[in-house]
Short mmCIF file of all heavy atoms in Angstrom, two decimals:
data_model
loop_
_atom_site.label_atom_id
_atom_site.label_comp_id
_atom_site.label_asym_id
_atom_site.label_seq_id
_atom_site.Cartn_x
_atom_site.Cartn_y
_atom_site.Cartn_z
N MET X 1 -68.82 -48.90 -3.69
CA MET X 1 -67.77 -49.91 -3.59
C MET X 1 -66.40 -49.26 -3.49
O MET X 1 -65.53 -49.73 -2.77
CB MET X 1 -67.82 -50.89 -4.78
CG MET X 1 -68.97 -51.88 -4.70
SD MET X 1 -69.02 -52.82 -3.16
CE MET X 1 -67.49 -53.70 -3.19
N GLN X 2 -66.21 -48.14 -4.19
CA GLN X 2 -64.93 -47.44 -4.12
C GLN X 2 -64.68 -46.91 -2.71
O GLN X 2 -63.57 -47.01 -2.20
CB GLN X 2 -64.89 -46.29 -5.13
CG GLN X 2 -63.56 -45.58 -5.18
CD GLN X 2 -62.41 -46.51 -5.58
OE1 GLN X 2 -62.51 -47.23 -6.55
NE2 GLN X 2 -61.32 -46.50 -4.81
N GLU X 3 -65.70 -46.36 -2.08
CA GLU X 3 -65.54 -45.88 -0.71
C GLU X 3 -65.21 -47.02 0.25
O GLU X 3 -64.36 -46.87 1.13
CB GLU X 3 -66.82 -45.17 -0.25
CG GLU X 3 -67.05 -43.83 -0.93
CD GLU X 3 -68.41 -43.24 -0.63
OE1 GLU X 3 -69.39 -44.00 -0.50
OE2 GLU X 3 -68.49 -42.00 -0.52
N ILE X 4 -65.86 -48.16 0.08
CA ILE X 4 -65.59 -49.32 0.93
C ILE X 4 -64.16 -49.80 0.71
O ILE X 4 -63.43 -50.08 1.67
CB ILE X 4 -66.60 -50.45 0.66
CG1 ILE X 4 -68.00 -50.01 1.13
CG2 ILE X 4 -66.18 -51.74 1.35
CD1 ILE X 4 -69.11 -50.94 0.72
N ASP X 5 -63.75 -49.90 -0.54
CA ASP X 5 -62.36 -50.31 -0.84
C ASP X 5 -61.35 -49.36 -0.22
O ASP X 5 -60.34 -49.79 0.35
CB ASP X 5 -62.14 -50.40 -2.35
CG ASP X 5 -62.83 -51.59 -3.00
OD1 ASP X 5 -63.16 -52.55 -2.27
OD2 ASP X 5 -63.02 -51.57 -4.23
N ASP X 6 -61.62 -48.06 -0.32
CA ASP X 6 -60.72 -47.06 0.26
C ASP X 6 -60.63 -47.20 1.78
O ASP X 6 -59.55 -47.12 2.36
CB ASP X 6 -61.16 -45.64 -0.11
CG ASP X 6 -61.00 -45.34 -1.59
OD1 ASP X 6 -60.26 -46.09 -2.29
OD2 ASP X 6 -61.60 -44.35 -2.06
N MET X 7 -61.78 -47.42 2.43
CA MET X 7 -61.78 -47.59 3.88
C MET X 7 -61.03 -48.85 4.29
O MET X 7 -60.29 -48.84 5.29
CB MET X 7 -63.22 -47.63 4.41
CG MET X 7 -63.91 -46.28 4.41
SD MET X 7 -65.54 -46.27 5.19
CE MET X 7 -66.53 -47.11 3.95
N LEU X 8 -61.20 -49.92 3.54
CA LEU X 8 -60.47 -51.16 3.83
C LEU X 8 -58.97 -50.98 3.65
O LEU X 8 -58.18 -51.44 4.48
CB LEU X 8 -60.98 -52.31 2.95
CG LEU X 8 -62.35 -52.85 3.32
CD1 LEU X 8 -62.85 -53.82 2.25
CD2 LEU X 8 -62.32 -53.52 4.68
N ASP X 9 -58.58 -50.31 2.57
CA ASP X 9 -57.15 -50.04 2.35
C ASP X 9 -56.56 -49.22 3.50
O ASP X 9 -55.47 -49.51 3.99
CB ASP X 9 -56.94 -49.29 1.02
CG ASP X 9 -57.21 -50.17 -0.18
OD1 ASP X 9 -57.23 -51.41 -0.04
OD2 ASP X 9 -57.41 -49.60 -1.28
N GLU X 10 -57.30 -48.21 3.94
CA GLU X 10 -56.84 -47.36 5.04
C GLU X 10 -56.72 -48.18 6.34
O GLU X 10 -55.74 -48.05 7.08
CB GLU X 10 -57.83 -46.22 5.23
CG GLU X 10 -57.42 -45.20 6.26
CD GLU X 10 -58.42 -44.06 6.37
OE1 GLU X 10 -58.92 -43.61 5.32
OE2 GLU X 10 -58.69 -43.65 7.51
N ALA X 11 -57.70 -49.04 6.60
CA ALA X 11 -57.67 -49.87 7.81
C ALA X 11 -56.51 -50.87 7.77
O ALA X 11 -55.83 -51.09 8.78
CB ALA X 11 -59.00 -50.60 7.98
N GLU X 12 -56.27 -51.47 6.61
CA GLU X 12 -55.17 -52.42 6.48
C GLU X 12 -53.82 -51.73 6.68
O GLU X 12 -52.92 -52.28 7.33
CB GLU X 12 -55.22 -53.12 5.12
CG GLU X 12 -56.37 -54.10 5.01
CD GLU X 12 -56.57 -54.63 3.60
OE1 GLU X 12 -55.94 -54.11 2.65
OE2 GLU X 12 -57.37 -55.57 3.45
N THR X 13 -53.67 -50.53 6.16
CA THR X 13 -52.44 -49.78 6.33
C THR X 13 -52.22 -49.44 7.80
O THR X 13 -51.10 -49.59 8.33
CB THR X 13 -52.48 -48.48 5.49
OG1 THR X 13 -52.66 -48.83 4.11
CG2 THR X 13 -51.21 -47.67 5.66
N ALA X 14 -53.27 -49.01 8.48
CA ALA X 14 -53.17 -48.69 9.90
C ALA X 14 -52.83 -49.95 10.71
O ALA X 14 -52.00 -49.90 11.62
CB ALA X 14 -54.47 -48.08 10.41
N PHE X 15 -53.43 -51.07 10.37
CA PHE X 15 -53.16 -52.32 11.08
C PHE X 15 -51.70 -52.73 10.92
O PHE X 15 -51.04 -53.11 11.89
CB PHE X 15 -54.09 -53.43 10.58
CG PHE X 15 -53.89 -54.74 11.29
CD1 PHE X 15 -54.43 -54.95 12.55
CD2 PHE X 15 -53.15 -55.74 10.71
CE1 PHE X 15 -54.24 -56.15 13.21
CE2 PHE X 15 -52.94 -56.95 11.35
CZ PHE X 15 -53.50 -57.16 12.62
N GLU X 16 -51.20 -52.65 9.69
CA GLU X 16 -49.80 -53.01 9.43
C GLU X 16 -48.84 -52.09 10.18
O GLU X 16 -47.75 -52.50 10.55
CB GLU X 16 -49.52 -52.98 7.93
CG GLU X 16 -50.20 -54.12 7.18
CD GLU X 16 -50.10 -53.97 5.67
OE1 GLU X 16 -49.53 -52.97 5.19
OE2 GLU X 16 -50.64 -54.85 4.97
N ALA X 17 -49.26 -50.85 10.44
CA ALA X 17 -48.43 -49.90 11.18
C ALA X 17 -48.60 -50.07 12.69
O ALA X 17 -48.00 -49.33 13.47
CB ALA X 17 -48.80 -48.47 10.78
N GLY X 18 -49.40 -51.05 13.09
CA GLY X 18 -49.60 -51.30 14.51
C GLY X 18 -50.62 -50.38 15.17
O GLY X 18 -50.68 -50.29 16.39
N GLU X 19 -51.42 -49.71 14.36
CA GLU X 19 -52.42 -48.78 14.88
C GLU X 19 -53.78 -49.49 14.95
O GLU X 19 -54.58 -49.42 14.03
CB GLU X 19 -52.52 -47.56 13.98
CG GLU X 19 -51.23 -46.79 13.86
CD GLU X 19 -51.26 -45.74 12.77
OE1 GLU X 19 -52.32 -45.58 12.11
OE2 GLU X 19 -50.23 -45.10 12.55
N TYR X 20 -54.00 -50.16 16.05
CA TYR X 20 -55.27 -50.86 16.24
C TYR X 20 -55.54 -51.02 17.72
O TYR X 20 -54.66 -50.84 18.55
CB TYR X 20 -55.27 -52.22 15.54
CG TYR X 20 -54.16 -53.13 16.00
CD1 TYR X 20 -54.32 -53.96 17.09
CD2 TYR X 20 -52.94 -53.15 15.33
CE1 TYR X 20 -53.29 -54.79 17.51
CE2 TYR X 20 -51.91 -53.99 15.73
CZ TYR X 20 -52.10 -54.81 16.82
OH TYR X 20 -51.08 -55.63 17.23
N LEU X 21 -56.77 -51.38 18.05
CA LEU X 21 -57.16 -51.59 19.43
C LEU X 21 -57.28 -53.09 19.68
O LEU X 21 -57.70 -53.84 18.80
CB LEU X 21 -58.52 -50.94 19.72
CG LEU X 21 -58.60 -49.43 19.54
CD1 LEU X 21 -60.04 -48.95 19.73
CD2 LEU X 21 -57.68 -48.72 20.50
N THR X 22 -56.95 -53.51 20.90
CA THR X 22 -57.16 -54.90 21.27
C THR X 22 -58.64 -55.12 21.56
O THR X 22 -59.41 -54.15 21.69
CB THR X 22 -56.35 -55.26 22.53
OG1 THR X 22 -56.87 -54.50 23.63
CG2 THR X 22 -54.86 -54.97 22.34
N ASN X 23 -59.05 -56.37 21.69
CA ASN X 23 -60.44 -56.66 22.03
C ASN X 23 -60.84 -56.00 23.34
O ASN X 23 -61.94 -55.47 23.47
CB ASN X 23 -60.66 -58.18 22.13
CG ASN X 23 -60.62 -58.84 20.78
OD1 ASN X 23 -60.77 -58.19 19.76
ND2 ASN X 23 -60.43 -60.14 20.78
N ASP X 24 -59.94 -56.04 24.33
CA ASP X 24 -60.24 -55.43 25.62
C ASP X 24 -60.44 -53.92 25.49
O ASP X 24 -61.32 -53.34 26.13
CB ASP X 24 -59.12 -55.72 26.62
CG ASP X 24 -59.08 -57.18 27.04
OD1 ASP X 24 -60.12 -57.86 26.92
OD2 ASP X 24 -58.01 -57.63 27.48
N GLU X 25 -59.63 -53.27 24.68
CA GLU X 25 -59.76 -51.83 24.47
C GLU X 25 -61.08 -51.49 23.77
O GLU X 25 -61.76 -50.53 24.14
CB GLU X 25 -58.58 -51.29 23.67
CG GLU X 25 -57.26 -51.33 24.41
CD GLU X 25 -56.07 -51.04 23.51
OE1 GLU X 25 -56.09 -51.42 22.32
OE2 GLU X 25 -55.11 -50.43 24.03
N VAL X 26 -61.44 -52.28 22.78
CA VAL X 26 -62.72 -52.06 22.07
C VAL X 26 -63.87 -52.23 23.05
O VAL X 26 -64.81 -51.42 23.08
CB VAL X 26 -62.86 -53.02 20.87
CG1 VAL X 26 -64.27 -52.94 20.29
CG2 VAL X 26 -61.82 -52.71 19.81
N PHE X 27 -63.83 -53.29 23.86
CA PHE X 27 -64.88 -53.53 24.84
C PHE X 27 -64.99 -52.35 25.80
O PHE X 27 -66.09 -51.87 26.10
CB PHE X 27 -64.60 -54.82 25.61
CG PHE X 27 -65.63 -55.12 26.66
CD1 PHE X 27 -66.88 -55.63 26.30
CD2 PHE X 27 -65.36 -54.89 27.98
CE1 PHE X 27 -67.83 -55.89 27.25
CE2 PHE X 27 -66.33 -55.14 28.96
CZ PHE X 27 -67.56 -55.65 28.60
N HIS X 28 -63.86 -51.86 26.28
CA HIS X 28 -63.84 -50.75 27.22
C HIS X 28 -64.44 -49.48 26.58
O HIS X 28 -65.30 -48.81 27.18
CB HIS X 28 -62.41 -50.47 27.70
CG HIS X 28 -62.30 -49.30 28.62
ND1 HIS X 28 -62.73 -49.34 29.92
CD2 HIS X 28 -61.81 -48.05 28.41
CE1 HIS X 28 -62.51 -48.16 30.48
NE2 HIS X 28 -61.95 -47.36 29.59
N HIS X 29 -64.05 -49.16 25.36
CA HIS X 29 -64.58 -47.97 24.67
C HIS X 29 -66.06 -48.12 24.40
O HIS X 29 -66.82 -47.15 24.54
CB HIS X 29 -63.82 -47.73 23.35
CG HIS X 29 -62.43 -47.23 23.53
ND1 HIS X 29 -62.12 -46.01 24.08
CD2 HIS X 29 -61.23 -47.80 23.23
CE1 HIS X 29 -60.83 -45.83 24.12
NE2 HIS X 29 -60.25 -46.92 23.61
#
């Protein structure tokens, strides 16, 4: 659970910083 919480915190921080892929980019990759 700690690892999952850490990964979620990291993903939320990246999202707030604008570091994410759009649906089209995910589909393409």
Side-chain angles (χ1 to χ4, degrees):
M1 286 306 298
Q2 184 61 49
E3 289 171 324
I4 293 171
D5 287 340
D6 292 344
M7 286 186 286
L8 287 171
D9 290 342
E10 185 178 319
E12 289 171 350
T13 301
F15 181 79
E16 289 171 359
E19 300 169 2
Y20 57 88
L21 299 175
T22 65
N23 288 341
D24 290 337
E25 292 169 326
V26 171
F27 179 77
H28 177 74
H29 288 295

